[in-house]
């Protein structure tokens, strides 16, 4: 798989691995994240395969399940991240402007991915009903049960996002995955999209929270200061990655490049790029808060600062950072 390519082997010290699974049931998709813009080959062009995307005019609804124990200081920046899609600030580089690139992704009728994201409902599971060692198949059943029992609505234009706390071990998380998305058929016979992202603060900060932690492989470099905390910012970066993939390629028939079982998607086609001039081990030129010394590239609501990954721009045919 990943290590068969000499190019990827040479970049391995700086790689962050993300798996996105999309299924009639579950298909694991592995992606490297840290690759400089100067090394993205011309062949890295996402192709539209004719399938549906999550398009407008209705907003994409996020149904958020907090699995495990989360401190309020970690929850707040995550909910503020979602609020930032529909409540842009006066700043020019924002979560909303980052999402604008996704509008270039269209379906066969010429409809774009929805420009609006809203946090529709939140559920909590502080009792760890699945335990603290969770299989991916359990997440599938878990989400389906929430929909079938009407704790959450059956929404074909929604994403059911399970966030697991730092003390929960999820199959493949921190091994070859920082998050994944997939789909299930509910009792209403609708196919809906769900996703998982874990808190990497303890288990694998060097893989799933880079550049806010020393890289897990290769020569150690200085970790950047995270504006919202390593765990929260790691989660947000990976939510952004999964969100872009789930909206443009929800059922493995949308926009992607490569093998359908292991495709590059909207963000994973641009691994490790957060600012201009990125190269292996260097995320690119970023803004730095003068008081906290935190590095970021986008503004959100309530004075939040976020670090969002580059996204493949199908119009300009390049990896585009938030501007």
């Amino acid at each position: 798989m990943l290590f068969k390519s000499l190019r990827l082997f040479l970049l391995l010290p700086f790689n962050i691995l993300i798996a996105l699974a999309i299924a009639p049931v579950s298909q694991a998709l592995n992606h490297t994240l840290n690759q400089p813009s100067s090394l993205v080959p011309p062949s890295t062009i996402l192709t539209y395969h004719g399938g549906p995307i999550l398009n407008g005019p209705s907003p994409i609804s996020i149904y958020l399940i907090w699995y495990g124990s989360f401190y309020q200081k970690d929850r707040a920046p995550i909910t503020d991240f979602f609020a930032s899609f529909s409540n842009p600030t006066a700043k020019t580089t924002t979560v909303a402007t980052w999402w604008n690139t996704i509008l270039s992704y269209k379906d066969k009728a010429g409809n774009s991915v929805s420009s609006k994201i809203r946090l529709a409902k939140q559920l909590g599971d502080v009792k760890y009903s699945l335990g603290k060692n969770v299989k991916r198949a359990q997440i599938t059943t878990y989400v389906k049960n929430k929909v079938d029992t009407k704790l959450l609505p059956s929404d074909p234009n929604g994403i059911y996002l399970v966030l697991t706390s730092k003390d929960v071990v999820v199959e493949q998380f921190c091994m070859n995955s920082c998050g994944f998305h997939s789909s299930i058929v509910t009792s209403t016979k609708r196919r809906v999209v769900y996703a998982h992202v874990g808190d990497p603060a303890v288990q694998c900060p060097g893989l799933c929270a880079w550049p806010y932690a020393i890289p897990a492989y290769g020569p150690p470099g200085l970790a950047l200061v995270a504006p919202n905390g390593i765990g929260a910012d790691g989660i947000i970066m990976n939510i952004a990655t999964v969100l872009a993939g789930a909206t443009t390629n929800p059922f493995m028939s949308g926009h992607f490049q490569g093998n359908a079982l292991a495709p590059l998607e909207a963000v994973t086609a641009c691994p490790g790029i957060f600012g201009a001039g990125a190269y292996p081990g260097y995320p690119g030129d970023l803004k730095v808060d003068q008081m906290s010394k935190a590095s970021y590239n986008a503004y959100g609501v309530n004075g939040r600062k976020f670090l969002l990954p580059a996204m493949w721009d199908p119009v300009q045919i390049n990896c585009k950072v938030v501007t």
Side-chain angles (χ1 to χ4, degrees):
M1 288 181 68
L2 295 177
F3 306 110
K4 290 182 179 179
S5 164
L6 177 59
R7 177 176 63 84
L8 292 180
F9 177 79
L10 293 174
L11 294 177
L12 178 61
F14 308 104
N15 283 346
I16 298 172
L17 302 177
I18 279 220
L20 302 177
I22 299 196
V25 225
S26 179
Q27 299 168 339
L29 314 176
N30 301 313
H31 302 291
T32 59
L33 286 186
N34 272 355
Q35 179 179 337
S37 56
S38 60
L39 295 184
V40 175
S43 60
T44 305
I45 297 177
L46 271 64
T47 301
Y48 177 52
H49 294 78
I53 60 176
L54 299 188
N55 55 21
S58 300
I60 295 168
S61 295
I62 305 298
Y63 302 96
L64 186 57
I65 303 174
W66 303 91
Y67 185 89
S69 299
F70 289 85
Y71 292 114
Q72 179 58 26
K73 68 178 181 63
D74 294 324
R75 290 168 60 109
I78 294 169
T79 55
D80 281 347
F81 169 67
F82 285 114
S84 299
F85 283 91
S86 55
N87 296 287
T89 71
K91 305 289 187 179
T92 57
T93 53
T94 66
V95 173
T97 58
W98 171 78
W99 190 247
N100 282 343
T101 300
I102 212 82
L103 304 184
S104 298
Y105 289 80
K106 303 179 186 296
D107 63 15
K108 57 187 176 183
N111 299 312
S112 300
V113 171
S114 178
S115 62
K116 298 178 181 179
I117 303 286
R118 72 183 185 105
L119 185 54
K121 189 170 183 178
Q122 301 179 62
L123 297 178
D125 190 343
V126 296
K127 294 184 178 180
Y128 301 84
S129 62
L130 299 177
K132 293 188 177 182
N133 197 322
V134 181
K135 300 294 185 182
R136 282 191 171 188
Q138 289 179 287
I139 295 178
T140 305
T141 304
Y142 183 75
V143 172
K144 187 177 187 302
N145 177 262
K146 299 296 184 189
V147 177
D148 290 347
T149 58
K150 298 184 172 20
L151 286 174
L152 295 173
S154 180
D155 186 350
N157 210 49
I159 297 175
Y160 301 81
L161 176 59
V162 180
L163 300 183
T164 50
S165 57
K166 60 186 176 183
D167 56 343
V168 177
V169 176
V170 175
E171 180 185 18
Q172 296 188 41
F173 178 64
C174 287
M175 299 292 290
N176 62 354
S177 169
C178 298
F180 73 91
H181 65 87
S182 186
S183 66
I184 50 173
V185 177
T186 67
S187 60
T188 62
K189 307 303 181 184
R190 289 177 172 174
R191 182 169 289 279
V192 299
V193 178
Y194 73 96
H196 165 261
V197 171
D199 185 333
V202 174
Q203 298 180 47
C204 56
L207 284 175
C208 296
W210 184 88
Y212 292 133
I214 295 174
Y217 300 103
L222 293 177
L224 303 182
V225 177
N228 305 293
I230 293 175
D233 280 311
I235 289 173
I236 290 166
M237 288 187 290
N238 294 315
I239 288 175
T241 300
V242 169
L243 193 61
T247 54
T248 59
N249 188 32
F251 309 121
M252 279 305 300
S253 57
H255 295 265
F256 66 88
Q257 190 259 348
N259 190 311
L261 297 180
L264 296 177
E265 296 180 325
V267 166
T268 54
C270 301
I273 304 171
F274 295 91
Y279 56 82
Y282 177 63
D285 300 333
L286 305 175
K287 296 177 174 65
V288 178
D289 185 275
Q290 294 304 306
M291 294 292 291
S292 66
K293 306 304 179 185
S295 296
Y296 63 99
N297 61 7
Y299 295 94
V301 300
N302 298 324
R304 293 288 181 188
K305 298 175 175 67
F306 300 110
L307 184 62
L308 302 179
M311 190 185 302
W312 180 259
D313 186 332
V315 176
Q316 298 183 14
I317 316 296
N318 62 11
C319 292
K320 185 176 180 180
V321 295
V322 59
T323 55

